[in-house]
């Protein structure tokens, strides 16, 4: 793609690369190191320090090796982040009925759940993985996200939505509604949790501190009434209530438009 006189090339992907591990004369493959260890250490560092604190040099120090040792297994930092992204997607527990339908197996008669319950499971799991890894939402916007775990997740989600009865030309739109809702909700929730950890406060402590500061400076009576009616004694309870009801609204909308 050209922009004026400048050519913009798409970012390379680890999933499309055919490059093998780099080898220079005299180099020997590091002992006791492999992809799994490297990706696990990457995720630990990202969880602890975020994307801004992550570097290949920092990762090598964490592993107790040289940076060149890491490059035996990954070509670039971007490729490593792609691997971490897909490993995080692999933490999502999928509805077995949906996985079975993707793989061509019969649904288990022991779990006769309908598509709504399966969709709620997918959404809840997707939310949890983004909160657990606050760096994940940024990577979802940067990379293709076409690794094996992401593909299994995507196929399971398509199977669930197909069972809703929506016509094929509406399935991706309905999934976009759910994906973007969970993405936004999980991103804000994860960033707030990370901010609390950095401040050495619980979520409830920081929430009440922020609300007190706002109440001292603004007319907050109407919002205070709404917050009271919202229910929940803790931030976690309030978030769960909001998430559950908002997801119910999305599912109800899908059903209403399908039946229309």
């Amino acid at each position: 793609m050209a922009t004026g006189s400048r050519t913009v090339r798409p970012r390379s992907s680890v999933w499309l690369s055919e490059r093998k591990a780099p080898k220079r004369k005299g180099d020997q493959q590091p002992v006791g190191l492999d992809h799994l260890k490297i990706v696990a250490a990457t995720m630990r560092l990202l969880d602890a320090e975020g994307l801004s604190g992550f570097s290949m040099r920092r990762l090598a120090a964490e592993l107790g090796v040289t940076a060149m040792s890491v490059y035996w297994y990954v070509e670039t930092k971007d490729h490593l982040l792609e691997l971490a992204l897909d490993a995080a997607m692999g933490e999502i527990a999928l509805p077995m009925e949906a996985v079975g339908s993707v793989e061509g197996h019969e649904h288990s008669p022991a779990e006769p759940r309908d598509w709504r319950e399966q969709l709620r499971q997918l959404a809840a799991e997707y939310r949890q993985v983004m909160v657990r890894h606050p760096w994940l939402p940024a990577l979802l916007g940067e990379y293709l996200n076409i690794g094996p775990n992401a593909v299994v997740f995507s196929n399971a989600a398509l199977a669930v939505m197909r069972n809703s009865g929506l016509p094929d030309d509406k399935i991706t739109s309905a999934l976009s509604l759910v994906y973007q809702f969970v993405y936004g909700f999980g991103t804000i929730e994860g960033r707030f949790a990370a901010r609390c950890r950095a401040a050495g406060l619980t979520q409830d402590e920081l929430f009440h501190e922020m609300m007190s500061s706002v109440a001292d400076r603004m007319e907050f009576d109407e919002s205070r009434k709404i917050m009271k009616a919202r229910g929940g004694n803790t931030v976690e309870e309030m978030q769960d209530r909001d998430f559950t009801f908002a997801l119910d609204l999305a599912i109800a909308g899908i059903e209403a438009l399908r039946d229309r």
Side-chain angles (χ1 to χ4, degrees):
M1 179 175 64
T3 305
S5 60
R6 182 171 156 227
T7 300
V8 180
R9 292 182 176 84
R11 188 195 298 272
S12 67
S13 170
V14 69
W15 308 114
L16 303 177
S17 174
E18 297 180 358
R19 175 186 176 279
K20 304 300 182 183
K23 295 178 182 178
R24 298 187 306 177
K25 188 175 181 180
D27 284 345
Q28 292 185 354
Q29 186 170 0
V31 177
L33 205 59
D34 57 37
H35 269 107
L36 290 178
K37 289 181 180 179
I38 292 172
V39 173
T42 297
M43 295 177 73
R44 287 197 305 272
L45 279 177
L46 289 170
D47 288 343
E49 302 179 13
L51 281 167
S52 61
F54 180 79
S55 69
M56 298 296 271
R57 188 180 299 275
R58 178 73 182 84
L59 173 64
E62 174 77 9
L63 291 165
V65 299
T66 65
M68 193 60 209
S69 297
V70 178
Y71 285 113
W72 264 90
Y73 296 91
V74 291
E75 181 178 357
T76 65
K77 177 182 173 181
D78 283 331
H79 284 189
L80 182 54
L81 292 176
E82 277 190 282
L83 292 171
L85 165 59
D86 196 61
M89 296 297 292
E91 295 177 0
I92 299 174
L94 303 174
M96 292 310 298
E97 307 95 326
V99 175
S101 66
V102 169
E103 296 176 350
H105 302 307
E106 293 296 325
H107 289 186
S108 169
E111 273 194 291
R113 295 187 305 159
D114 69 11
W115 68 273
R116 301 165 193 81
E117 290 306 310
Q118 294 176 41
L119 187 59
R120 288 187 180 97
Q121 178 183 336
L122 279 176
E125 288 282 337
Y126 196 28
R127 170 196 174 193
Q128 288 174 16
V129 79
M130 283 195 288
V131 173
R132 189 159 57 244
H133 304 302
W135 45 270
L136 185 61
L139 297 191
L140 287 167
E142 284 288 326
Y143 300 105
L144 289 175
N145 197 25
I146 56 172
N149 291 320
V151 170
V152 170
F153 171 80
S154 178
N155 286 340
L158 286 170
V160 168
M161 194 56 71
R162 187 172 287 112
N163 288 338
S164 72
L166 280 172
D168 285 353
D169 64 332
K170 299 296 188 296
I171 286 176
T172 56
S173 298
L175 281 175
S176 293
L177 167 66
V178 177
Y179 285 159
Q180 296 305 321
F181 156 64
V182 179
Y183 178 90
F185 197 102
T187 298
I188 293 173
E189 187 179 2
R191 289 177 68 89
F192 182 71
R195 181 179 176 185
C196 292
R197 288 192 295 272
L201 299 171
T202 68
Q203 294 192 49
D204 293 332
E205 288 170 340
L206 184 56
F207 174 76
H208 290 300
E209 182 180 302
M210 292 169 61
M211 295 300 289
S212 296
S213 298
V214 171
D216 291 340
R217 291 170 173 76
M218 298 174 62
E219 290 294 331
F220 212 57
D221 290 342
E222 191 62 28
S223 295
R224 192 177 290 109
K225 292 177 185 176
I226 296 297
M227 295 294 288
K228 185 176 180 180
R230 176 194 202 184
N233 296 317
T234 67
V235 170
E236 183 178 359
E237 289 177 359
M238 288 186 285
Q239 289 170 335
D240 286 345
R241 284 171 182 251
D242 286 348
F243 182 85
T244 299
F245 186 65
L247 183 58
D248 283 345
L249 288 176
I251 291 173
I254 291 170
E255 291 182 286
L257 290 175
R258 176 202 63 192
D259 294 340
R260 188 183 72 180

